[in-house]
Amino acid sequence: MVDNRYATALVIGSVLSLLATVYLSVAVGTQHWYQYRSPPGNHEASNASELREDFINGEFDEKAYSDTLFRLNGTLGLWWRCVQAPGQSHWFKEPDPKMVTQCVSFTLPQQFLPKYKEPGNHNTGEDLLRTYLWMCQFLLPLVSLAFVFLSGLIGVCACLCRSITPTLGVGVLHLLAGLCSLGTVCCFLAGMDLLHRVSVLPDGVDGSLGWSLYLALISSPLQMMAAALFLWAARSHRQNYTRMTAYRVA
């Protein structure tokens, strides 16, 4: 039988784990990890529509899509890149055209393409640090979610077996998931910093962190707090069981 203190810790840990999983899943699936704010005149430029068409239908090139993100209020995520451009206009020029957000996803092969020391220039050689940071920011959240899913299966088995011992493994998996979530944010921030060192932002363009990144950042301590509760419950219950066994033997 499980003590009420341990049961409360398990319930709170499960709620924290669920919240962290929802936050991380939303962060992975949205594009607001990093966002650019460009001057209003950039959207009214004559080639804004051309930039948008190249962004959507053109060949994948880091230099090309980065410049478009800079100029058209772009947002960047782990799987998506989006821009804002005037919608399809009529034969006359509208004084205040409606801005339309259009997004393009990174395909799985594109996630593993090398990054170059000078974006878009294949002759400058591969930038291994940026390449591995990009791969890690793509893979680590998936590993984190996989750890949480595996810990959920172990938790279900523990409930069926009416044993709290497997909770120790659940806690360890949540700790690893929290580290992976934190590593995702760190890799993304480091990669963006390196990108801005080799790709100078145009005048008047500002970059800032988006809410998707903050969701991923919040998920990490939630997973670690859940891990601490699971580990405490498993360890304390085991110590209490050992004392009770020794008392009965004595």
Side-chain angles (χ1 to χ4, degrees):
M1 185 176 181
V2 180
D3 189 275
N4 287 337
R5 294 174 300 168
Y6 309 143
T8 303
L10 294 178
V11 171
I12 296 176
S14 300
V15 173
L16 292 176
S17 175
L18 180 61
L19 286 175
T21 303
V22 172
Y23 287 168
L24 184 59
S25 300
V26 172
V28 171
T30 51
Q31 72 275 10
H32 295 279
W33 283 67
Y34 202 89
Q35 52 195 13
Y36 297 97
R37 289 292 175 263
S38 54
N42 285 3
H43 301 94
E44 300 173 1
S46 58
N47 62 342
S49 297
E50 297 179 5
L51 289 174
R52 182 188 61 187
E53 291 300 324
D54 291 340
F55 180 80
I56 297 174
N57 301 317
E59 294 183 1
F60 180 81
D61 180 80
E62 185 184 20
K63 173 66 174 175
Y65 78 72
S66 295
D67 289 344
T68 306
L69 291 175
F70 298 158
R71 298 186 58 183
L72 299 181
N73 276 356
T75 55
L76 182 67
L78 301 184
W79 283 93
W80 296 93
R81 57 190 189 274
C82 303
V83 294
Q84 288 185 352
Q88 298 293 337
S89 60
H90 303 284
W91 58 272
F92 60 91
K93 183 178 179 180
E94 298 180 10
D96 188 16
K98 181 180 179 181
M99 305 305 297
V100 178
T101 300
Q102 293 187 319
C103 300
V104 179
S105 64
F106 293 102
T107 64
L108 187 60
Q110 289 172 354
Q111 296 281 16
F112 294 97
L113 289 178
K115 307 296 179 182
Y116 297 97
K117 296 179 180 179
E118 182 180 336
N121 189 349
H122 296 191
N123 297 324
T124 56
E126 182 179 355
D127 190 333
L128 293 178
L129 180 56
R130 289 206 307 124
T131 299
Y132 288 126
L133 285 174
W134 184 275
M135 292 182 183
C136 288
Q137 77 180 32
F138 150 67
L139 292 173
L140 285 178
L142 301 181
V143 174
S144 177
L145 292 174
F147 280 146
V148 174
F149 178 74
L150 180 59
S151 67
L153 292 180
I154 295 176
V156 171
C157 294
C159 291
L160 294 177
C161 298
R162 297 184 179 181
S163 173
I164 199 174
T165 303
T167 309
L168 182 64
V170 174
V172 172
L173 288 175
H174 273 81
L175 180 60
L176 294 176
L179 293 175
C180 289
S181 300
L182 182 61
T184 301
V185 176
C186 293
C187 289
F188 182 85
L189 292 176
M192 294 303 298
D193 181 66
L194 293 175
L195 174 63
H196 292 157
R197 291 184 184 182
V198 296
S199 298
V200 181
L201 293 178
D203 294 335
V205 176
D206 296 322
S208 61
L209 303 179
W211 58 264
S212 298
L213 183 140
Y214 289 112
L215 281 182
L217 188 60
I218 293 172
S219 70
S220 177
L222 289 178
Q223 289 170 330
M224 292 184 180
M225 286 189 290
L229 289 172
F230 289 138
L231 292 173
W232 174 83
R235 185 172 181 272
S236 299
H237 182 269
R238 183 175 182 179
Q239 289 179 343
N240 187 46
Y241 179 79
T242 302
R243 293 194 191 99
M244 290 296 295
T245 303
Y247 176 78
R248 290 175 181 177
V249 171

mmCIF file of all heavy atoms in Angstrom, residues 5-39:
data_model
loop_
_atom_site.group_PDB
_atom_site.id
_atom_site.type_symbol
_atom_site.label_atom_id
_atom_site.label_comp_id
_atom_site.label_asym_id
_atom_site.label_seq_id
_atom_site.Cartn_x
_atom_site.Cartn_y
_atom_site.Cartn_z
ATOM 1 N N ARG A 5 1.444 10.523 1.256
ATOM 2 C CA ARG A 5 2.458 11.491 0.817
ATOM 3 C C ARG A 5 3.036 11.089 -0.525
ATOM 4 O O ARG A 5 3.219 11.930 -1.410
ATOM 5 C CB ARG A 5 3.570 11.590 1.858
ATOM 6 C CG ARG A 5 3.157 12.164 3.202
ATOM 7 C CD ARG A 5 4.308 12.072 4.169
ATOM 8 N NE ARG A 5 4.719 10.682 4.368
ATOM 9 C CZ ARG A 5 5.852 10.315 4.986
ATOM 10 N NH1 ARG A 5 6.683 11.241 5.430
ATOM 11 N NH2 ARG A 5 6.132 9.038 5.133
ATOM 12 N N TYR A 6 3.337 9.823 -0.684
ATOM 13 C CA TYR A 6 3.911 9.343 -1.937
ATOM 14 C C TYR A 6 2.882 9.425 -3.065
ATOM 15 O O TYR A 6 3.222 9.787 -4.200
ATOM 16 C CB TYR A 6 4.406 7.907 -1.782
ATOM 17 C CG TYR A 6 5.317 7.702 -0.582
ATOM 18 C CD1 TYR A 6 5.270 6.536 0.161
ATOM 19 C CD2 TYR A 6 6.212 8.701 -0.195
ATOM 20 C CE1 TYR A 6 6.100 6.345 1.260
ATOM 21 C CE2 TYR A 6 7.035 8.518 0.913
ATOM 22 C CZ TYR A 6 6.970 7.344 1.633
ATOM 23 O OH TYR A 6 7.779 7.169 2.717
ATOM 24 N N ALA A 7 1.638 9.088 -2.747
ATOM 25 C CA ALA A 7 0.592 9.163 -3.762
ATOM 26 C C ALA A 7 0.394 10.604 -4.240
ATOM 27 O O ALA A 7 0.232 10.863 -5.440
ATOM 28 C CB ALA A 7 -0.721 8.610 -3.197
ATOM 29 N N THR A 8 0.437 11.563 -3.303
ATOM 30 C CA THR A 8 0.309 12.975 -3.676
ATOM 31 C C THR A 8 1.466 13.414 -4.560
ATOM 32 O O THR A 8 1.277 14.137 -5.550
ATOM 33 C CB THR A 8 0.248 13.857 -2.414
ATOM 34 O OG1 THR A 8 -0.842 13.437 -1.588
ATOM 35 C CG2 THR A 8 0.077 15.314 -2.780
ATOM 36 N N ALA A 9 2.665 12.982 -4.218
ATOM 37 C CA ALA A 9 3.841 13.323 -5.027
ATOM 38 C C ALA A 9 3.728 12.748 -6.434
ATOM 39 O O ALA A 9 4.080 13.415 -7.420
ATOM 40 C CB ALA A 9 5.114 12.804 -4.347
ATOM 41 N N LEU A 10 3.205 11.544 -6.537
ATOM 42 C CA LEU A 10 3.054 10.920 -7.855
ATOM 43 C C LEU A 10 2.012 11.657 -8.692
ATOM 44 O O LEU A 10 2.204 11.850 -9.901
ATOM 45 C CB LEU A 10 2.662 9.450 -7.690
ATOM 46 C CG LEU A 10 3.708 8.534 -7.048
ATOM 47 C CD1 LEU A 10 3.156 7.115 -6.898
ATOM 48 C CD2 LEU A 10 4.992 8.512 -7.876
ATOM 49 N N VAL A 11 0.918 12.072 -8.061
ATOM 50 C CA VAL A 11 -0.126 12.795 -8.797
ATOM 51 C C VAL A 11 0.398 14.141 -9.278
ATOM 52 O O VAL A 11 0.214 14.526 -10.451
ATOM 53 C CB VAL A 11 -1.370 12.978 -7.912
ATOM 54 C CG1 VAL A 11 -2.368 13.916 -8.592
ATOM 55 C CG2 VAL A 11 -2.022 11.628 -7.638
ATOM 56 N N ILE A 12 1.058 14.885 -8.394
ATOM 57 C CA ILE A 12 1.597 16.192 -8.785
ATOM 58 C C ILE A 12 2.649 16.031 -9.875
ATOM 59 O O ILE A 12 2.691 16.800 -10.850
ATOM 60 C CB ILE A 12 2.185 16.913 -7.559
ATOM 61 C CG1 ILE A 12 1.087 17.222 -6.547
ATOM 62 C CG2 ILE A 12 2.884 18.205 -7.986
ATOM 63 C CD1 ILE A 12 1.602 17.838 -5.262
ATOM 64 N N GLY A 13 3.508 15.012 -9.736
ATOM 65 C CA GLY A 13 4.514 14.760 -10.764
ATOM 66 C C GLY A 13 3.892 14.424 -12.107
ATOM 67 O O GLY A 13 4.377 14.876 -13.154
ATOM 68 N N SER A 14 2.810 13.669 -12.092
ATOM 69 C CA SER A 14 2.133 13.319 -13.348
ATOM 70 C C SER A 14 1.523 14.549 -14.010
ATOM 71 O O SER A 14 1.590 14.705 -15.235
ATOM 72 C CB SER A 14 1.044 12.282 -13.075
ATOM 73 O OG SER A 14 1.595 11.102 -12.516
ATOM 74 N N VAL A 15 0.942 15.444 -13.198
ATOM 75 C CA VAL A 15 0.362 16.675 -13.754
ATOM 76 C C VAL A 15 1.458 17.554 -14.358
ATOM 77 O O VAL A 15 1.302 18.104 -15.461
ATOM 78 C CB VAL A 15 -0.409 17.446 -12.664
ATOM 79 C CG1 VAL A 15 -0.860 18.814 -13.177
ATOM 80 C CG2 VAL A 15 -1.610 16.632 -12.201
ATOM 81 N N LEU A 16 2.575 17.691 -13.651
ATOM 82 C CA LEU A 16 3.690 18.484 -14.178
ATOM 83 C C LEU A 16 4.227 17.877 -15.471
ATOM 84 O O LEU A 16 4.563 18.600 -16.421
ATOM 85 C CB LEU A 16 4.804 18.577 -13.133
ATOM 86 C CG LEU A 16 4.504 19.384 -11.871
ATOM 87 C CD1 LEU A 16 5.662 19.298 -10.899
ATOM 88 C CD2 LEU A 16 4.214 20.836 -12.219
ATOM 89 N N SER A 17 4.309 16.564 -15.512
ATOM 90 C CA SER A 17 4.785 15.892 -16.716
ATOM 91 C C SER A 17 3.846 16.130 -17.892
ATOM 92 O O SER A 17 4.288 16.373 -19.023
ATOM 93 C CB SER A 17 4.918 14.385 -16.451
ATOM 94 O OG SER A 17 5.264 13.695 -17.628
ATOM 95 N N LEU A 18 2.541 16.078 -17.625
ATOM 96 C CA LEU A 18 1.561 16.318 -18.684
ATOM 97 C C LEU A 18 1.666 17.750 -19.217
ATOM 98 O O LEU A 18 1.650 17.976 -20.442
ATOM 99 C CB LEU A 18 0.155 16.042 -18.161
ATOM 100 C CG LEU A 18 -0.987 16.260 -19.158
ATOM 101 C CD1 LEU A 18 -0.832 15.346 -20.369
ATOM 102 C CD2 LEU A 18 -2.334 16.022 -18.472
ATOM 103 N N LEU A 19 1.784 18.716 -18.314
ATOM 104 C CA LEU A 19 1.929 20.111 -18.736
ATOM 105 C C LEU A 19 3.189 20.305 -19.567
ATOM 106 O O LEU A 19 3.174 20.986 -20.605
ATOM 107 C CB LEU A 19 1.953 21.027 -17.509
ATOM 108 C CG LEU A 19 0.632 21.266 -16.785
ATOM 109 C CD1 LEU A 19 0.852 22.102 -15.532
ATOM 110 C CD2 LEU A 19 -0.365 21.941 -17.702
ATOM 111 N N ALA A 20 4.292 19.721 -19.108
ATOM 112 C CA ALA A 20 5.555 19.860 -19.839
ATOM 113 C C ALA A 20 5.455 19.255 -21.224
ATOM 114 O O ALA A 20 5.974 19.819 -22.202
ATOM 115 C CB ALA A 20 6.682 19.203 -19.043
ATOM 116 N N THR A 21 4.791 18.120 -21.344
ATOM 117 C CA THR A 21 4.642 17.468 -22.646
ATOM 118 C C THR A 21 3.806 18.315 -23.599
ATOM 119 O O THR A 21 4.141 18.460 -24.781
ATOM 120 C CB THR A 21 3.982 16.086 -22.467
ATOM 121 O OG1 THR A 21 4.777 15.296 -21.569
ATOM 122 C CG2 THR A 21 3.878 15.364 -23.799
ATOM 123 N N VAL A 22 2.728 18.906 -23.074
ATOM 124 C CA VAL A 22 1.887 19.773 -23.914
ATOM 125 C C VAL A 22 2.673 20.996 -24.365
ATOM 126 O O VAL A 22 2.652 21.370 -25.544
ATOM 127 C CB VAL A 22 0.619 20.184 -23.144
ATOM 128 C CG1 VAL A 22 -0.162 21.247 -23.925
ATOM 129 C CG2 VAL A 22 -0.258 18.976 -22.886
ATOM 130 N N TYR A 23 3.385 21.629 -23.442
ATOM 131 C CA TYR A 23 4.167 22.820 -23.790
ATOM 132 C C TYR A 23 5.223 22.502 -24.840
ATOM 133 O O TYR A 23 5.386 23.243 -25.819
ATOM 134 C CB TYR A 23 4.839 23.395 -22.545
ATOM 135 C CG TYR A 23 3.912 24.083 -21.586
ATOM 136 C CD1 TYR A 23 4.330 24.442 -20.310
ATOM 137 C CD2 TYR A 23 2.595 24.385 -21.931
ATOM 138 C CE1 TYR A 23 3.487 25.081 -19.424
ATOM 139 C CE2 TYR A 23 1.739 25.010 -21.057
ATOM 140 C CZ TYR A 23 2.190 25.357 -19.791
ATOM 141 O OH TYR A 23 1.345 25.982 -18.922
ATOM 142 N N LEU A 24 5.945 21.409 -24.650
ATOM 143 C CA LEU A 24 7.004 21.065 -25.595
ATOM 144 C C LEU A 24 6.431 20.682 -26.951
ATOM 145 O O LEU A 24 6.995 21.042 -27.994
ATOM 146 C CB LEU A 24 7.851 19.921 -25.028
ATOM 147 C CG LEU A 24 9.071 19.509 -25.858
ATOM 148 C CD1 LEU A 24 10.021 20.693 -26.049
ATOM 149 C CD2 LEU A 24 9.801 18.344 -25.206
ATOM 150 N N SER A 25 5.322 19.967 -26.963
ATOM 151 C CA SER A 25 4.701 19.577 -28.229
ATOM 152 C C SER A 25 4.237 20.809 -29.017
ATOM 153 O O SER A 25 4.434 20.889 -30.233
ATOM 154 C CB SER A 25 3.524 18.640 -27.974
ATOM 155 O OG SER A 25 3.945 17.461 -27.314
ATOM 156 N N VAL A 26 3.619 21.763 -28.314
ATOM 157 C CA VAL A 26 3.184 22.994 -28.980
ATOM 158 C C VAL A 26 4.384 23.764 -29.497
ATOM 159 O O VAL A 26 4.365 24.307 -30.609
ATOM 160 C CB VAL A 26 2.342 23.853 -28.005
ATOM 161 C CG1 VAL A 26 2.049 25.213 -28.619
ATOM 162 C CG2 VAL A 26 1.049 23.139 -27.656
ATOM 163 N N ALA A 27 5.452 23.825 -28.707
ATOM 164 C CA ALA A 27 6.652 24.552 -29.130
ATOM 165 C C ALA A 27 7.264 23.937 -30.383
ATOM 166 O O ALA A 27 7.659 24.653 -31.314
ATOM 167 C CB ALA A 27 7.670 24.561 -27.994
ATOM 168 N N VAL A 28 7.324 22.619 -30.429
ATOM 169 C CA VAL A 28 7.915 21.954 -31.590
ATOM 170 C C VAL A 28 7.077 22.188 -32.838
ATOM 171 O O VAL A 28 7.612 22.347 -33.940
ATOM 172 C CB VAL A 28 8.074 20.440 -31.311
ATOM 173 C CG1 VAL A 28 8.485 19.692 -32.572
ATOM 174 C CG2 VAL A 28 9.110 20.213 -30.224
ATOM 175 N N GLY A 29 5.771 22.237 -32.691
ATOM 176 C CA GLY A 29 4.889 22.346 -33.845
ATOM 177 C C GLY A 29 4.603 23.756 -34.312
ATOM 178 O O GLY A 29 3.893 23.938 -35.306
ATOM 179 N N THR A 30 5.128 24.777 -33.621
ATOM 180 C CA THR A 30 4.873 26.158 -34.015
ATOM 181 C C THR A 30 6.165 26.826 -34.477
ATOM 182 O O THR A 30 7.272 26.314 -34.248
ATOM 183 C CB THR A 30 4.256 26.957 -32.854
ATOM 184 O OG1 THR A 30 5.066 26.781 -31.673
ATOM 185 C CG2 THR A 30 2.856 26.461 -32.565
ATOM 186 N N GLN A 31 6.006 28.006 -35.110
ATOM 187 C CA GLN A 31 7.133 28.644 -35.782
ATOM 188 C C GLN A 31 7.655 29.889 -35.075
ATOM 189 O O GLN A 31 8.508 30.593 -35.611
ATOM 190 C CB GLN A 31 6.735 29.034 -37.214
ATOM 191 C CG GLN A 31 5.767 30.201 -37.322
ATOM 192 C CD GLN A 31 4.329 29.791 -37.182
ATOM 193 O OE1 GLN A 31 4.038 28.646 -36.816
ATOM 194 N NE2 GLN A 31 3.408 30.699 -37.484
ATOM 195 N N HIS A 32 7.177 30.154 -33.859
ATOM 196 C CA HIS A 32 7.547 31.413 -33.207
ATOM 197 C C HIS A 32 8.706 31.228 -32.226
ATOM 198 O O HIS A 32 8.647 31.690 -31.078
ATOM 199 C CB HIS A 32 6.332 31.997 -32.490
ATOM 200 C CG HIS A 32 5.227 32.398 -33.412
ATOM 201 N ND1 HIS A 32 5.224 33.584 -34.104
ATOM 202 C CD2 HIS A 32 4.102 31.750 -33.786
ATOM 203 C CE1 HIS A 32 4.139 33.667 -34.851
ATOM 204 N NE2 HIS A 32 3.440 32.562 -34.681
ATOM 205 N N TRP A 33 9.769 30.600 -32.679
ATOM 206 C CA TRP A 33 10.968 30.487 -31.855
ATOM 207 C C TRP A 33 11.807 31.761 -31.949
ATOM 208 O O TRP A 33 12.367 32.210 -30.963
ATOM 209 C CB TRP A 33 11.795 29.270 -32.289
ATOM 210 C CG TRP A 33 11.241 27.975 -31.804
ATOM 211 C CD1 TRP A 33 10.064 27.386 -32.173
ATOM 212 C CD2 TRP A 33 11.822 27.090 -30.838
ATOM 213 N NE1 TRP A 33 9.881 26.209 -31.512
ATOM 214 C CE2 TRP A 33 10.941 25.992 -30.690
ATOM 215 C CE3 TRP A 33 12.996 27.110 -30.102
ATOM 216 C CZ2 TRP A 33 11.202 24.934 -29.818
ATOM 217 C CZ3 TRP A 33 13.274 26.055 -29.236
ATOM 218 C CH2 TRP A 33 12.388 24.992 -29.095
ATOM 219 N N TYR A 34 11.861 32.301 -33.156
ATOM 220 C CA TYR A 34 12.587 33.558 -33.357
ATOM 221 C C TYR A 34 11.834 34.373 -34.398
ATOM 222 O O TYR A 34 11.349 33.812 -35.392
ATOM 223 C CB TYR A 34 14.025 33.299 -33.825
ATOM 224 C CG TYR A 34 14.963 34.456 -33.552
ATOM 225 C CD1 TYR A 34 15.644 34.548 -32.346
ATOM 226 C CD2 TYR A 34 15.156 35.465 -34.485
ATOM 227 C CE1 TYR A 34 16.491 35.606 -32.068
ATOM 228 C CE2 TYR A 34 15.995 36.532 -34.217
ATOM 229 C CZ TYR A 34 16.660 36.591 -33.013
ATOM 230 O OH TYR A 34 17.507 37.652 -32.741
ATOM 231 N N GLN A 35 11.729 35.676 -34.171
ATOM 232 C CA GLN A 35 10.948 36.511 -35.078
ATOM 233 C C GLN A 35 11.704 37.801 -35.390
ATOM 234 O O GLN A 35 12.424 38.332 -34.547
ATOM 235 C CB GLN A 35 9.578 36.830 -34.469
ATOM 236 C CG GLN A 35 9.630 37.404 -33.060
ATOM 237 C CD GLN A 35 8.289 37.356 -32.360
ATOM 238 O OE1 GLN A 35 7.359 36.700 -32.798
ATOM 239 N NE2 GLN A 35 8.184 38.062 -31.239
ATOM 240 N N TYR A 36 11.519 38.260 -36.606
ATOM 241 C CA TYR A 36 12.169 39.482 -37.077
ATOM 242 C C TYR A 36 11.111 40.556 -37.304
ATOM 243 O O TYR A 36 9.987 40.260 -37.721
ATOM 244 C CB TYR A 36 12.928 39.225 -38.381
ATOM 245 C CG TYR A 36 14.056 38.225 -38.240
ATOM 246 C CD1 TYR A 36 13.870 36.886 -38.584
ATOM 247 C CD2 TYR A 36 15.303 38.615 -37.768
ATOM 248 C CE1 TYR A 36 14.899 35.968 -38.453
ATOM 249 C CE2 TYR A 36 16.334 37.697 -37.625
ATOM 250 C CZ TYR A 36 16.123 36.384 -37.975
ATOM 251 O OH TYR A 36 17.138 35.466 -37.843
ATOM 252 N N ARG A 37 11.492 41.790 -37.028
ATOM 253 C CA ARG A 37 10.634 42.937 -37.282
ATOM 254 C C ARG A 37 11.361 43.870 -38.238
ATOM 255 O O ARG A 37 12.379 44.457 -37.873
ATOM 256 C CB ARG A 37 10.294 43.665 -35.969
ATOM 257 C CG ARG A 37 9.352 42.885 -35.066
ATOM 258 C CD ARG A 37 7.966 42.788 -35.687
ATOM 259 N NE ARG A 37 7.061 41.947 -34.897
ATOM 260 C CZ ARG A 37 6.818 40.686 -35.142
ATOM 261 N NH1 ARG A 37 7.445 40.093 -36.156
ATOM 262 N NH2 ARG A 37 5.984 39.997 -34.408
ATOM 263 N N SER A 38 10.840 43.986 -39.444
ATOM 264 C CA SER A 38 11.460 44.818 -40.474
ATOM 265 C C SER A 38 10.671 46.108 -40.656
ATOM 266 O O SER A 38 9.487 46.178 -40.299
ATOM 267 C CB SER A 38 11.526 44.056 -41.800
ATOM 268 O OG SER A 38 10.257 43.578 -42.171
ATOM 269 N N PRO A 39 11.295 47.159 -41.190
ATOM 270 C CA PRO A 39 10.590 48.433 -41.409
ATOM 271 C C PRO A 39 9.381 48.247 -42.314
ATOM 272 O O PRO A 39 9.369 47.373 -43.189
ATOM 273 C CB PRO A 39 11.660 49.310 -42.078
ATOM 274 C CG PRO A 39 12.964 48.706 -41.669
ATOM 275 C CD PRO A 39 12.710 47.234 -41.568
#
